[in-house]
């Protein structure tokens, strides 16, 4: 093969980089514009490109290869043809009919996929694509990129643990073009000035990561929940506010793969039956690895709560991993919840709630001091030793006309450093609960990751 420089100059002739003034998708004005799609129209160049990329990689590591749609798809195809590594295809949007698949092709869970990208800027399209691939049980360890615009994306992905290989950087490209007098000194300066002021950086925050919380936590239910979060890359709890056993089980089956816990209000299930409702629900929780959180919101004296927890038709203590409880009955009222993780109701999401600042401060003191309590429901930030659960989450609505007040997952993670988002109707009333759960899972996980990253 010719030298890397000769190869680049061949590519350049196809008009893949233009210099001047260009307004990017983000609204920023850039002195250069990169579009590598023309490379796919020259079979010889595409084949060479595929081989250059393959030479840079430990090929034994990969079972599959996938291009980020659309520009990198022909590149990934060419690499697959040259290396015999099977190709899978990622759709931009799931099919509206039939299987609703996002990933097409033949693959098995546990396989490792090489991801191919044409240009990396902030890394945002890779950050959207990777969870969608990982959601199929496929791992992604390496990303190969043809051109790095050197605006921070590579570093962000590397901080997240991916190996990012790049064939060309914009600095290298400018140097080669300058040597060949395709670019003037002034143009190179303009590009360097642009690059120095347009790098995407991490935002430093003070919140603890799930790993750190796991190390510090001494509550077994909290540990379990954090372990599931890390394993499934999810911080989503779905609120199953449905009225029949069938609806409950169908929902659990659909959203199960994407959640850390299913929150129930068992007292609204009209045909509740311990054998018909709880046994299959427990099986689904085991199958999809999520916890059961009964949102009973206990609010009585200790003795009554003990009876409500273990007796009556629901026998919550027999099956729940987590329960919600007010702390209004005082410290001793929480003693009965020995076998579960208690999530204390500290602040509510509804308009006009009486859980004002003073209430929250007092309620927090009780909750924080009790060993059965592992966290709280609140719309405000909590101390780091408490896991924060935030309901009132929706991507579409700001309210429900009945006093509920909604925020986005992004808000919950950046503004109040929540640990888990609780979503009800945003998922249960969606056309496809499964797809909506996946969307909230990805939104929640990205928002969490952005909130823990340190420069
Ligand atoms: P939705 O996302 O459909 O608004 O449902 C929210 C769920 O969270 C409901 O089950 C509700 O009981 C619960 N919840 C809440 O909305 N706000 C709170 O402050 C505490 C809650 O448990």
């Amino acid at each position: 093969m010719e030298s890397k420089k000769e190869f680049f100059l061949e590519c350049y002739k196809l008009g893949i980089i233009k210099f001047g003034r260009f307004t990017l998708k983000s609204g920023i004005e850039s002195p250069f514009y990169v579009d590598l799609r023309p490379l796919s129209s020259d079979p010889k160049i595409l084949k060479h490109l595929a081989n250059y990329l393959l030479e840079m990689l430990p090929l034994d590591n990969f079972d599959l290869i996938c291009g980020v749609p659309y520009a990198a798809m022909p590149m990934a195809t060419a690499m697959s043809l040259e290396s015999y590594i099977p190709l899978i295809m990622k759709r931009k949007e799931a099919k509206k009919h039939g299987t609703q698949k996002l990933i097409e092709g033949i693959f098995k869970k546990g396989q490792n996929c090489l991801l191919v990208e044409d240009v990396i800027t902030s890394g945002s399209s890779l950050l959207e694509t990777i969870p969608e691939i990982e959601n199929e049980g496929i791992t992604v360890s390496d990303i190969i990129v043809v051109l790095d615009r050197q605006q921070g994306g590579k570093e962000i992905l590397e901080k997240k643990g991916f190996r990012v290989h790049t064939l060309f950087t914009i600095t290298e490209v400018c140097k080669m073009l300058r040597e060949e007098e395709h670019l003037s000194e002034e143009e190179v300066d303009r590009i360097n000035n642009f690059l120095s002021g347009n790098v995407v950086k991490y935002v430093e925050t003070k919140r603890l990561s799930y790993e750190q919380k796991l190390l510090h936590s001494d509550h077994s239910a909290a540990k379990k929940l954090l372990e599931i979060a890390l394993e499934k890359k999810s911080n989503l709890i779905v609120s199953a506010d449905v009225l029949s056993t069938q609806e409950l089980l169908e929902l659990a089956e659909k959203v199960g793969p994407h959640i850390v816990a299913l929150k129930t209000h068992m007292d609204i299930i009209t045909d509740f039956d311990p054998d018909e409702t709880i046994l299959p629900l427990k099986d689904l929780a085991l199958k999809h690895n999520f916890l059961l959180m009964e949102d009973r919101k206990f609010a009585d004296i200790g003795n009554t709560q003990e009876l409500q927890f273990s007796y009556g038709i629901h026998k919550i203590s027999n099956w729940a991993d987590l329960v919600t409880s007010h702390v209004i009955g005082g410290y001793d009222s929480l003693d009965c919840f020995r076998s579960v993780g208690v999530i204390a109701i500290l602040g509510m999401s509804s308009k006009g709630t009486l859980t004002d600042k003073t209430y929250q401060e007092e309620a927090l003191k009780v909750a924080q001091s009790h060993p059965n309590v592992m966290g709280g429901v609140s719309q405000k930030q909590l101390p780091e030793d408490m896991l924060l659960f935030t309901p009132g989450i929706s991507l579409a609505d700001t309210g429900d006309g009945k006093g509920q007040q909604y925020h986005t997952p992004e808000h919950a993670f950046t503004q109040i450093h929540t640990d888990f988002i609780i979503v009800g109707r945003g998922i249960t009333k969606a056309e496809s609960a499964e797809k909506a759960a996946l969307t909230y899972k990805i939104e929640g996980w990205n928002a969490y990751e952005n909130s823990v990253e340190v420069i």
Side-chain angles (χ1 to χ4, degrees), residues 237-241 263-265 268 293 295-297 324 326 345-350 353 355 377-379 389-394 399-400 404-406 422-429 440:
I237 295 176
V238 167
S239 185
D241 300 339
K263 185 174 84 63
T264 51
H265 285 288
I268 63 174
M293 169 176 174
D295 193 5
R296 174 62 181 75
K297 295 192 180 70
T324 56
H326 288 284
I345 305 292
L346 304 173
M348 295 196 64
S349 60
S350 46
T353 173
T355 56
V377 167
S378 181
Q379 301 293 319
F389 297 77
T390 308
I393 298 289
S394 172
D400 65 354
Q404 177 68 300
Q405 303 175 109
Y406 289 117
I422 298 176
V423 185
R425 285 160 289 180
I427 289 173
T428 56
K429 301 281 183 211
Y440 278 94

Side-chain angles (χ1 to χ4, degrees), residues 153-200:
K154 179 174 188 262
E155 290 68 24
I156 288 176
L157 282 150
E158 283 174 343
K159 286 222 168 135
K160 286 179 191 288
F162 299 101
R163 275 186 297 266
V164 185
H165 314 262
T166 52
L167 181 59
F168 299 114
T169 63
I170 191 69
T171 310
E172 252 183 290
V173 161
C174 287
K175 187 166 169 278
M176 291 187 274
L177 294 176
R178 177 73 201 109
E179 280 164 10
E180 298 304 308
E181 310 222 325
H182 290 299
L183 272 182
S184 67
E185 232 14 279
E186 296 75 62
E187 279 174 309
V188 174
D189 285 348
R190 221 152 58 77
I191 292 164
N192 286 338
N193 280 342
F194 167 80
L195 290 175
S196 61
N198 283 286
V199 174
V200 186

Side-chain angles (χ1 to χ4, degrees), residues 6-23:
E6 282 162 356
F7 175 64
F8 175 75
L9 293 172
E10 285 289 304
C11 297
Y12 178 68
K13 280 190 211 148
L14 299 180
I16 54 167
I17 303 189
K18 296 191 169 58
F19 299 95
R21 284 180 203 283
F22 305 92
T23 307

Side-chain angles (χ1 to χ4, degrees), residues 122 328 382:
S122 67
I328 197 154
L382 294 184

Side-chain angles (χ1 to χ4, degrees), residues 11 19 31 53 96 106 143 146 162 172 179 188 229 261 269 285 292 320 331 344 353 367 384-385 397:
C11 297
F19 299 95
L53 297 173
K96 299 247 167 359
I106 301 171
I143 300 156
V146 180
F162 299 101
E172 252 183 290
E179 280 164 10
V188 174
I269 301 290
L292 294 174
Y331 183 95
T353 173
E384 291 287 3
D385 61 340
D397 297 314

Side-chain angles (χ1 to χ4, degrees), residues 214-232:
L214 190 56
L215 278 178
H216 294 132
S217 171
D218 47 15
H219 199 294
S220 62
K223 281 194 159 136
K224 192 87 207 291
L225 195 66
L226 289 163
E227 277 163 6
I228 297 176
L230 287 165
E231 201 177 313
K232 291 173 101 170

